Amino acid sequence: MNNHPPTIDRRHFLALAAAAAATAQARGARGAASSPSIQPAPTGDSHRGPCVIASGNGMETVELAFDLLTKGTRPVEACVRGVALVEDNPNDMSVGLGGLPNEEGIIELDSACMDGPLHKAGSVGALQNIKNPAAVALEVLRRTDHVMLVGEGALKFARRMGFKEQDLHTEKSRAAWARWRANLNPNDKWLDTDQIINFNEPAWQSSDAQGGGLSSPRFYSLPLATPEKGPRGRAGERVPSSSSLPRAPWGRAGEGVPSSSLPPHITRDSHGVLHTTGTIHCSATNANQDVGCCTTTSGLAWKLPGRVGDSPIIGAGLYCDNAVGSAGATGRGESVIQTVGSAWIISAMEGGMTPTEACLAACKRIVDRTREPRFFDDNNRPRFSVTYYAVRKDGAYGSASILKGGQAAVCAGGKAVRLQSEFLYE
Ligand code: ASP
């Protein structure tokens, strides 16, 4: 493995491609490498003027933030108000209301924002019960001498600022957690999703159900576990073999789906367990070339309680410098933290890389520094992804991810456009 990542010519995209190819070759030593693919430079790098970029789930966010920018709202506040649309949306399971919970089923939110002109940040980690953590982070920035508040302290602060506490679970997020938990370990005491008793289902209402057999043809039509070998059933019980049932797209589910067909926010670890990520980042530059940014998330689904990801960490999940621009990340937060991703992108842009080049190089930096074999599949393709988003103060913008499929939302006036992120691996 190449321990010395090649230096990337700051001005030439082709040099970056060569460097990525060198990495692929280096990975070949451990097996057949899947070749990182470098796409032609996209148009974002040549854009100039006010502009807002967000992760792909932020189409409405960028339109609102851009509108606010043109009305004179400070970029950081425009971003915070823009991402609130996604935090408020119960159907977006990556953020705020309806966000996916931790391993205990509790929703813990992370968020941060940063103001370019003051070079000042605010942040909250592992915040419970408040659906707009980005707005709380903005109050930390505006009203305190601190940068980061976490857990109970962050909640107390939010209460004192008048934020309303509420149950952030939705039926969908609860069900997703229950599915994940049920599929986690075939030997635990949690019934698999398809074995959970639902009294409203006809199958469980008939007297047969109590007599040791399921009456539903749905179950009979599926292959049954042989009593002695059944993973759960006692001899004589008609318990469907859990491995024969269609599985929910979480936990061990998704077996049979090639990793390369999974969307980048769902990745498979070396045990075959799928992990879901999701977040919204938003970066903006206005007509004065002042910048600001915000990242907000419910974090990695099923995380350990108390785990804080990259999103509320200044320099990792977001960073801006009014002399240069603004950047942020979504995806596997641990990788972003350990490479100080967003701060590195700002330095790379300061050194002359375009936003797209800097994002792509930051992705490559992660891959080059990931040493544990569990993070690569048999073809040496990373099992995880990160997507970066960046805007330079003059309005040039770009995005790149480790695995193909990352998307950004961009608004530079009028309707938002969707940008396919550059990527390293198909
Ligand atoms: N970066 C977030 C985290 O690690 C998750 C995500 O973006 O999907 O908490």
Side-chain angles (χ1 to χ4, degrees):
M1 184 159 171
N2 183 4
N3 287 329
H4 306 285
T7 314
I8 296 161
D9 182 315
R10 295 196 155 132
R11 294 207 174 272
H12 297 96
F13 201 61
L14 282 177
L16 185 62
T23 304
Q25 227 172 6
R27 294 213 176 289
R30 290 193 286 137
S34 49
S35 6
S37 116
I38 301 293
Q39 300 297 297
T43 55
D45 284 339
S46 54
H47 177 264
R48 299 292 178 269
C51 161
V52 184
I53 185 167
S55 39
N57 52 350
M59 294 295 276
E60 291 176 346
T61 294
V62 292
E63 284 181 13
L64 174 60
F66 190 87
D67 185 51
L68 291 167
L69 277 189
T70 57
K71 292 178 175 143
T73 304
R74 190 112 157 170
V76 64
E77 193 184 343
C79 291
V80 168
R81 287 172 60 185
V83 299
L85 295 176
V86 181
E87 290 174 329
D88 290 348
N89 180 356
N91 293 319
D92 190 308
M93 296 171 85
S94 64
V95 180
L97 182 64
L100 290 174
N102 66 19
E103 112 182 325
E104 291 178 353
I106 296 166
I107 299 173
E108 291 188 331
L109 305 174
D110 293 340
S111 183
C113 59
M114 187 159 182
D115 176 64
L118 285 174
H119 204 76
K120 192 168 195 291
S123 158
V124 288
L127 175 65
Q128 294 181 19
N129 299 345
I130 306 285
K131 83 175 155 58
N132 298 117
V136 182
L138 187 60
E139 292 308 306
V140 174
L141 182 160
R142 288 181 56 236
R143 293 171 187 273
T144 79
D145 188 35
H146 303 317
V147 168
M148 188 170 198
L149 298 178
V150 300
E152 187 57 31
L155 179 57
K156 269 188 193 156
F157 173 80
R159 277 190 205 121
R160 284 164 75 182
M161 291 300 113
F163 286 88
K164 197 174 115 241
E165 276 186 80
Q166 67 184 95
D167 181 1
L168 300 178
H169 290 89
T170 57
E171 221 171 280
K172 251 169 82 181
S173 72
R174 258 188 244 282
W177 178 81
R179 268 202 305 274
W180 167 77
R181 192 63 194 80
N183 284 296
L184 191 59
N185 179 353
N187 300 316
D188 66 20
K189 298 296 177 222
W190 294 80
L191 297 185
D192 280 2
T193 314
D194 303 272
Q195 298 170 329
I196 294 170
I197 297 166
N198 179 351
F199 290 125
N200 295 323
E201 268 192 12
W204 296 102
Q205 284 167 359
S206 80
S207 53
D208 279 4
Q210 294 154 18
L214 301 174
S215 61
S216 160
R218 186 162 73 86
F219 286 107
Y220 283 131
S221 66
L222 290 161
L224 301 182
T226 25
E228 300 75 24
K229 291 189 185 159
R232 305 281 162 113
R234 289 192 301 267
E237 274 181 341
R238 287 173 177 173
V239 179
S241 148
S242 57
S243 64
S244 69
L245 291 170
R247 308 295 288 267
W250 276 275
R252 283 175 203 285
E255 285 153 7
V257 178
S259 294
S260 56
S261 305
L262 294 169
H265 69 285
I266 300 182
T267 48
R268 179 183 278 118
D269 71 17
S270 52
H271 303 291
V273 176
L274 300 184
H275 294 270
T276 308
T277 56
T279 294
I280 180 159
H281 168 77
C282 184
S283 273
T285 182
N286 69 11
N288 293 334
Q289 302 203 354
D290 285 334
V291 298
C293 56
C294 169
T295 303
T296 181
T297 189
S298 51
L300 209 56
W302 338 131
K303 61 192 174 184
L304 297 185
R307 178 263 190 187
V308 169
D310 60 319
S311 306
I313 297 186
I314 308 306
L318 76 171
Y319 190 67
C320 72
D321 183 328
N322 224 41
V324 182
S326 180
T330 60
R332 187 174 182 274
E334 282 71 9
S335 301
V336 175
I337 296 171
Q338 288 163 157
T339 54
V340 207
S342 296
W344 189 87
I345 287 174
I346 297 300
S347 297
M349 290 200 296
E350 190 171 22
M353 280 193 198
T354 68
T356 309
E357 289 168 353
C359 290
L360 199 52
C363 290
K364 183 179 174 302
R365 230 175 136 255
I366 289 177
V367 177
D368 287 345
R369 284 158 182 74
T370 301
R371 303 286 149 80
E372 294 164 85
R374 70 189 168 101
F375 286 114
F376 297 92
D377 69 15
D378 292 344
N379 294 320
N380 287 310
R381 180 182 186 267
R383 294 182 186 277
F384 65 97
S385 195
V386 163
T387 305
Y388 283 116
Y389 317 85
V391 63
R392 209 167 53 196
K393 64 193 268 87
D394 65 1
Y397 63 84
S399 169
S401 43
I402 294 176
L403 302 181
K404 185 179 177 179
Q407 293 187 347
V410 180
C411 186
K415 285 263 159 236
V417 294
R418 202 174 278 288
L419 177 75
Q420 302 299 329
S421 307
E422 293 299 317
F423 57 91
L424 288 177
Y425 292 83
E426 288 280 356

